[in-house]
């Protein structure tokens, strides 16, 4: 009854001791922590699952594209067809009817084929590139003329698709791109061991083509290479110089602030806007050619510059002030301080930022559509001014085509693009790890 | 606002009469805490640097208030005082390191020999070659030991060939008492040395350009007692050739290495005099309070 009244202002006495109070809440706290850990795990596994799914899908679809079906055909390099006057004149050899040799070879394989339609179906088993292949061989070794050889000739895309099991043989003849008699011939060829899958070198040596079996990514790769070269040559020096100026030399006033805000905002501008800008300025105003890697590089430079500037400034700020003080205290001028100490220390960070910016530029397609790099271009570009396309745009173009054989090529091109992305990001990580300095 | 914190404390002490704790009878001449006239003789016979009416402002803040002080040739002068009293700020005026702070403004006159160092005709590059600096935290460049010392001579174009540079680097390391420890490892990064060695490397780097004055901003505050003893020994040896100004938090260090001591308080130079006199017989009440450990 007569508890001592607590002194005024003192905290009210606890009716339980602190141990019980803490223990009561402990269970809840641990549970919250456990739950949080679970949410994290779930989020990560979900993310990883999607990555795995994406890769499995792309690789599953794309890897057959790295193999290509070839048919073994007996070819008689008939001197009467190739070189009637026997002079081995390159002009005559170039104009000779190599397709006739291929046709003769096919007839030799299946002498029973009769009638115009059936023969056309038979000739359709090999690619139209087979004739060019014969021409190339004759040019390489003129001694072939008059000889007979069993040659592996590129099969047409439909045969390739059939051999890879992507055509349902049970479908009605009218619903599949390959005829019944063609299937029969392919079966016979397979039984005789005259059909073989070889590594698809064409994918890496040819430009785009309407014939899937002749389509390659070389043109797009070279286009990407030239475009990125222009982008890097322009955006890295300009971006690095801008970062150095803004960080080290610019007076701290309202103008500098305004420029800073604008650069930061530019990094968030949708890339297609840069494409429109490029179209208006570089093509319409300066009259540069459409579809040229030079213009693509200019546009991508605009897009990459803010990224490089921001990364560069971050790298410069991370150089400790004690290094700057040390250099200044020795009597180094500001430019010497930057050139001898700050810039070398910031360089790995700047390069890392640039490589990540370049990787983004490599994967960019929208702004390039605006400047006409979306055209169907067969020739592999040989300079900055040749019309060309880039890898992501090539993927976009192929994804639109109806032929089944382009589906696997689309995925294969995506795999190549991803490989370059991983390579570039790996390089960035390597640079960061390698040149990381401790002070 | 914060400038009055210590004054308030002192005033409070007075009001509560805590002042009368038993201690040796003081013989101070200035007992008024609010008197900020510099006590003691600010001039010397053969000054290396002469400062008159120096004021420093950080934006609105008046960091150094009308300080006048001579720094004698080949003397070690210590700047002491509580944190934030402006001793480092004043030190950094002497080689214009404050120039790097955009909001900092310096008025008054500072002369090195006969040159006004804030004159337009004086280039900071030249000034900093004549007035070297050693910082609080050892800050060798992340380059080799050799390159650290060779940097100054190289940028100022002091040597003609590699052999000359080699000699200069070795001589500087020798004078900084570091040569024995680094003789075999000149190519290793300067940052691989211990803290005390790094600081001596920074001193070697500073003396490699043969400056006239060396500023040291709490050079031992990041070091252990043994490394500190080595640096203090080094300072004593360097006095023969250089004028040294050292900012220190340690009064014992000031007493050990310096011939003259200047006591700063909230931007004012309160008292300056021979080190012996400052530590045994301070003239200003604030100095006495500080050195007897009543605040700071």
């Amino acid at each position: 009854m007569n508890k001592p009244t607590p002194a005024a202002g003192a905290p009210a006495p606890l009716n339980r001791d602190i141990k019980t109070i803490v223990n009561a809440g402990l269970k809840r706290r641990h549970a919250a922590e456990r739950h949080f850990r679970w949410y994290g795990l779930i989020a990560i596994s979900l993310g990883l699952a999607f990555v795995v799914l994406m890769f499995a899908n792309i690789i599953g679809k794309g890897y057959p594209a790295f193999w290509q079906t070839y048919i073994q055909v007996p070819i008689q390099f008939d001197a009467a067809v190739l070189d009637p006057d026997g002079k081995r004149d390159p002009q005559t050899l170039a104009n000779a009817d190599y397709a006739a040799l291929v046709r003769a070879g096919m007839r030799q394989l299946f002498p029973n084929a009769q009638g115009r339609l059936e023969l056309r179906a038979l000739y359709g088993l090999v690619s139209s590139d087979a004739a060019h292949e014969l021409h190339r061989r004759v040019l390489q070794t003129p001694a072939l003329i008059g000889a007979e050889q069993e040659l592996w000739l590129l099969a047409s895309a439909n045969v390739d698709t059939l051999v890879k099991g992507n055509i349902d043989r049970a479908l009605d003849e009218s619903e599949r791109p390959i005829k019944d008699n063609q299937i029969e011939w392919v079966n016979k060829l397979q039984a005789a061991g005259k059909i073989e899958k070889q590594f698809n070198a064409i994918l890496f040596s040819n430009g785009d083509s309407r014939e899937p079996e002749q389509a390659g990514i070389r043109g797009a790769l070279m286009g990407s290479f030239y475009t990125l070269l222009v982008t890097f040559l322009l955006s890295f020096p300009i971006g690095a110089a801008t970062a150095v100026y803004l960080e080290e030399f610019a007076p701290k006033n309202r103008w500098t602030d305004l420029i800073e805000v604008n650069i930061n905002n530019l990094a968030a501008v949708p890339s297609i806007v840069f494409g429109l800008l490029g179209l208006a300025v570089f093509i319409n105003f300066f009259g540069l050619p459409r579809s040229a890697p030079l213009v693509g590089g200019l546009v991508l430079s605009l897009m990459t510059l803010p990224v490089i500037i921001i990364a560069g400034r971050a790298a410069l700020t991370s150089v400790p002030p004690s290094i700057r003080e040390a250099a200044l205290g020795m009597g180094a001028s500001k430019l010497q301080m930057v050139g001898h100490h700050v810039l070398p220390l910031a360089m790995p960070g700047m390069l890392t930022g640039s490589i990540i910016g370049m990787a983004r530029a490599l994967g960019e397609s929208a702004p390039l559509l605006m400047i006409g790099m979306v055209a169907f271009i067969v020739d592999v570009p040989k300079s900055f001014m040749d019309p060309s396309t880039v890898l992501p745009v090539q993927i976009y173009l192929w994804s639109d085509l109806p032929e089944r054989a382009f589906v696997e090529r689309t995925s294969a091109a995506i795999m190549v693009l991803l490989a370059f992305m991983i390579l570039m990001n790996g390089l960035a990580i390597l640079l960061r790890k390698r040149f990381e300095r401790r002070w | 606002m914060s400038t009055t914190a210590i004054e308030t404390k002192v005033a409070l002490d007075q009001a509560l009469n805590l002042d009368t704790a038993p201690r040796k009878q003081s013989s101070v001449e200035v007992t008024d805490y609010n008197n900020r006239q510099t006590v003691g003789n600010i001039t010397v016979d053969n000054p290396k640097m002469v400062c008159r009416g120096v004021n420093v402002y950080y934006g609105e803040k008046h960091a150094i208030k009308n300080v006048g002080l001579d720094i004698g040739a080949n003397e070690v002068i210590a700047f002491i005082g509580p944190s934030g009293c402006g001793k480092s700020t004043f030190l950094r005026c002497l080689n214009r390191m404050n120039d790097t702070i955009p909001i900092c403004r310096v008025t008054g006159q500072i002369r090195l020999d006969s040159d006004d160092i804030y004159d337009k005709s004086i280039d900071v590059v030249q000034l900093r070659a004549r007035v070297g600096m050693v910082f609080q935290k050892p800050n060798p460049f992340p380059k080799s030991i050799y390159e650290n010392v060779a940097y100054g001579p190289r940028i100022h174009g002091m040597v003609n060939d590699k052999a000359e540079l080699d000699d200069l680097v070795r001589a500087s390391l020798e004078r900084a008492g570091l040569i024995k420890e680094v003789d075999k490892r000149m190519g290793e990064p300067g940052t691989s040395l211990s803290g005390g060695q790094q600081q001596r490397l920074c001193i070697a780097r500073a003396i490699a350009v043969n400056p006239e004055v060396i500023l040291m901003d709490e050079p031992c505050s990041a070091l252990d007692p043994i490394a500190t003893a080595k640096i203090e020994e080094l300072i004593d040896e360097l006095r023969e050739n250089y004028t040294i100004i050292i900012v220190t938090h340690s009064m014992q260090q000031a007493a050990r290495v310096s011939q003259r001591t200047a006591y700063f308080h909230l931007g004012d130079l309160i008292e300056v005099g021979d080190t012996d006199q400052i530590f045994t017989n301070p003239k200003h009440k604030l100095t006495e309070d500080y050195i007897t450990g009543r605040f700071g």
Side-chain angles (χ1 to χ4, degrees):
Chain A
M1 283 275 291
N2 281 345
K3 279 182 185 167
T5 43
L14 301 161
N15 28 7
R16 289 175 296 167
D17 68 323
I18 185 75
K19 233 165 99 183
T20 346
I21 296 173
V22 171
N23 279 344
L26 219 49
K27 216 171 165 185
R28 209 184 57 241
R29 288 195 226 174
H30 285 315
E33 205 172 301
R34 214 166 36 242
H35 289 158
F36 187 77
R37 222 178 292 154
W38 270 108
Y39 298 147
L41 267 177
I42 291 169
I44 288 177
S45 8
L46 212 65
L48 275 181
F50 275 107
V51 170
V52 168
L53 199 72
M54 183 189 82
F55 271 93
N57 183 25
I58 291 171
I59 293 173
K61 270 190 195 158
Y63 91 93
F66 293 105
W67 277 268
Q68 186 67 36
T69 309
Y70 284 80
I71 301 174
Q72 198 178 32
V73 185
I75 297 291
Q76 271 187 316
F77 291 94
D78 192 348
V81 177
L82 295 177
D83 193 16
D85 15 309
K87 285 186 191 147
R88 301 289 189 268
D89 178 27
Q91 191 61 44
T92 327
L93 288 178
N95 292 336
D97 188 3
Y98 293 97
L101 301 185
V102 178
R103 287 198 295 269
M106 291 308 286
R107 279 199 305 274
Q108 199 181 329
L109 276 176
F110 298 103
N112 295 334
Q114 294 297 329
R116 209 170 61 86
L117 273 178
E118 213 179 28
L119 281 174
R120 210 161 87 191
L122 179 64
Y123 302 152
L125 291 183
V126 286
S127 165
S128 59
D129 182 57
H132 301 132
E133 172 67 19
L134 294 188
H135 179 203
R136 281 193 289 274
R137 282 179 187 248
V138 167
L139 282 189
Q140 217 171 24
T141 39
L144 275 176
I145 297 172
E148 186 182 341
Q149 249 190 349
E150 293 269 320
L151 285 183
W152 288 101
L153 294 181
L154 183 61
S156 71
N158 287 337
V159 173
D160 185 50
T161 315
L162 180 77
V163 170
K164 284 172 182 166
N166 289 329
I167 291 179
D168 188 359
R169 292 167 194 240
L171 278 175
D172 189 67
E173 190 176 16
S174 60
E175 284 175 28
R176 47 181 149 75
I178 193 158
K179 302 275 180 292
D180 284 342
N181 50 6
Q182 285 181 311
I183 293 182
E184 206 176 302
W185 289 323
V186 169
N187 286 343
K188 277 185 186 158
L189 285 170
Q190 270 180 316
K194 286 181 184 294
I195 277 193
E196 188 179 271
K197 279 197 270 184
Q198 299 179 1
F199 179 71
N200 188 2
I202 290 170
L203 187 66
F204 298 99
S205 64
N206 275 23
D208 200 3
S209 170
R210 285 285 177 237
E211 306 300 329
E213 78 275 6
Q214 295 173 38
I217 54 170
R218 179 65 171 269
L221 269 181
M222 290 315 285
S224 275
F225 171 75
Y226 285 125
T227 309
L228 280 191
L229 195 65
V230 172
T231 308
F232 186 77
L233 289 182
L234 281 174
S235 60
F236 184 69
I238 298 177
T242 311
V244 168
Y245 178 78
L246 283 176
E247 202 56 51
E248 307 287 338
F249 293 96
K252 300 272 174 280
N253 59 24
R254 215 178 304 160
W255 285 111
T256 317
D257 289 347
L258 194 73
I259 292 171
E260 256 188 71
V261 168
N262 274 304
I263 288 173
N264 291 342
N265 284 342
L266 271 183
V269 168
S271 55
I272 198 154
V273 176
F274 288 108
L276 280 171
L277 181 78
L279 177 65
V281 176
F282 300 128
I283 294 181
N284 289 348
F285 185 75
F286 286 110
L288 290 171
R290 278 167 191 277
S291 313
L294 178 69
V295 182
L298 285 169
V299 168
L300 292 181
S301 301
L302 291 179
M303 203 193 78
T304 317
L305 260 178
V307 179
I308 293 183
I309 294 171
I310 291 169
R313 295 190 62 175
L316 287 169
T317 351
S318 72
V319 175
S322 64
I323 301 288
R324 292 161 207 266
E325 279 193 330
L328 288 179
M330 288 306 299
S333 68
K334 209 159 183 187
L335 189 63
Q336 284 175 324
M337 171 193 88
V338 173
H340 295 161
H341 301 287
V342 179
L343 203 55
L345 292 173
M347 202 37 96
M350 285 181 134
L351 276 177
T352 307
S354 309
I355 291 171
I356 288 174
M358 298 303 291
R360 221 188 102 190
L362 173 66
E364 199 58 70
S365 58
L368 302 178
L369 303 183
M370 288 288 118
I371 55 157
M373 290 189 90
V374 70
F376 171 71
I377 290 148
V378 177
D379 293 324
V380 176
K382 292 196 171 56
S383 78
F384 297 103
M385 299 301 250
D386 289 346
S388 61
T389 182
V390 292
L391 214 41
V393 175
Q394 185 70 76
I395 291 167
Y396 162 75
L397 284 171
W398 280 353
S399 72
D400 233 15
L401 295 173
E403 283 94 338
R404 181 63 181 73
F406 273 119
V407 174
E408 59 185 44
R409 277 172 178 74
T410 307
S411 293
I414 292 174
M415 282 162 73
V416 173
L417 182 65
L418 283 178
F420 276 104
M421 294 281 185
I422 292 169
L423 211 70
M424 286 171 90
N425 282 307
L427 189 69
I429 292 169
L430 194 77
L431 269 176
R432 199 160 48 209
K433 284 262 175 284
R434 192 72 182 273
F435 294 102
E436 210 169 38
R437 297 257 191 179
R438 271 166 266 280
W439 36 68
Chain B
M1 286 297 284
S2 66
T3 54
T4 58
I6 289 168
E7 287 168 341
T8 314
K9 180 182 179 294
V10 169
L12 197 68
D13 282 358
Q14 281 174 311
L16 294 175
N17 210 14
L18 295 175
D19 212 354
T20 51
R23 63 188 161 99
K24 166 183 95 172
Q25 188 60 43
S26 78
S27 55
V28 293
E29 290 169 6
V30 181
T31 49
D32 179 9
Y33 283 108
N34 294 319
N35 185 344
R36 298 295 162 87
Q37 285 290 322
T38 304
V39 182
N41 192 3
I42 61 166
T43 59
V44 294
D45 291 339
N46 55 338
K48 183 74 193 166
M49 297 190 85
V50 177
C51 316
R52 290 291 178 269
V54 176
N55 285 285
V56 180
Y57 304 86
Y58 286 120
E60 292 296 303
K61 191 175 175 250
H62 198 172
I64 293 288
K65 298 165 189 162
N66 198 23
V67 168
L69 181 65
D70 281 6
I71 289 142
N74 292 46
E75 75 170 358
V76 178
I77 181 169
F79 291 175
I80 60 170
S83 295
C85 68
K87 52 194 191 299
S88 285
T89 302
F90 185 65
L91 184 79
R92 293 164 69 96
C93 289
L94 301 178
N95 70 344
R96 292 180 58 178
M97 280 302 276
N98 283 332
D99 287 13
T100 54
I101 304 164
I103 57 162
C104 181
R105 196 158 51 84
V106 181
T107 63
Q109 200 187 40
I110 302 176
R111 268 181 289 135
L112 173 61
D113 290 336
S114 55
D115 304 321
D116 180 354
I117 66 167
Y118 279 88
D119 193 82
K120 283 199 174 59
S121 63
I122 296 286
D123 194 300
V124 283
V125 167
Q126 185 224 80
L127 171 69
R128 287 176 192 156
R130 292 171 69 189
V131 183
M133 188 155 186
V134 176
F135 295 87
Q136 183 170 2
K137 206 178 131 230
N139 56 354
F141 299 128
K143 300 181 184 224
S144 71
I145 292 168
Y146 181 91
E147 284 302 321
N148 262 284
V149 184
Y151 184 68
R154 219 175 244 158
I155 58 169
H156 295 304
M158 292 170 59
V159 286
N160 297 320
D161 53 38
K162 180 88 172 77
E164 223 177 305
L165 185 61
D166 283 352
D167 289 345
L168 183 52
V169 168
R170 292 188 65 84
S172 304
L173 286 168
E174 174 107 55
R175 270 192 288 173
L178 197 61
I179 191 74
K180 281 204 196 91
E181 288 145 86
V182 302
D183 204 8
K184 296 281 182 297
R185 39 194 288 212
M186 289 283 208
E188 286 177 35
T191 43
S192 67
L193 297 170
S194 74
Q197 289 172 326
Q198 286 189 20
Q199 197 60 297
R200 275 181 286 152
L201 177 63
C202 291
I203 293 174
R205 182 176 70 186
I207 59 183
V209 293
N210 203 19
E212 296 158 38
V213 181
I214 302 175
L215 311 178
M216 296 188 177
D217 190 355
E218 297 183 35
C220 302
S221 67
L223 305 182
D224 63 65
I226 293 170
T228 301
K230 282 189 177 162
I231 302 270
E232 287 179 2
E233 210 175 296
L234 177 58
I235 291 171
D236 213 41
E237 287 165 20
L238 292 174
R239 185 162 65 94
E240 280 178 34
N241 300 306
Y242 308 98
T243 301
I244 295 171
I245 306 168
I246 178 169
V247 165
T248 176
H249 248 120
S250 153
M251 283 177 278
Q252 290 85 343
Q253 183 171 64
R256 282 193 297 262
V257 302
S258 70
Q259 285 80 55
R260 280 168 82 225
T261 297
Y263 172 68
F264 286 80
H265 185 92
L266 299 176
D268 289 297
L269 176 56
I270 297 299
E271 184 167 356
V272 57
D274 289 341
T275 299
D276 289 346
Q277 175 253 309
I278 293 279
F279 283 100
T280 54
N281 190 16
K283 299 264 169 35
H284 197 295
K285 196 89 178 75
L286 276 168
T287 318
E288 188 190 44
D289 283 356
Y290 180 70
I291 63 166
T292 51
R294 289 171 63 79
F295 66 84

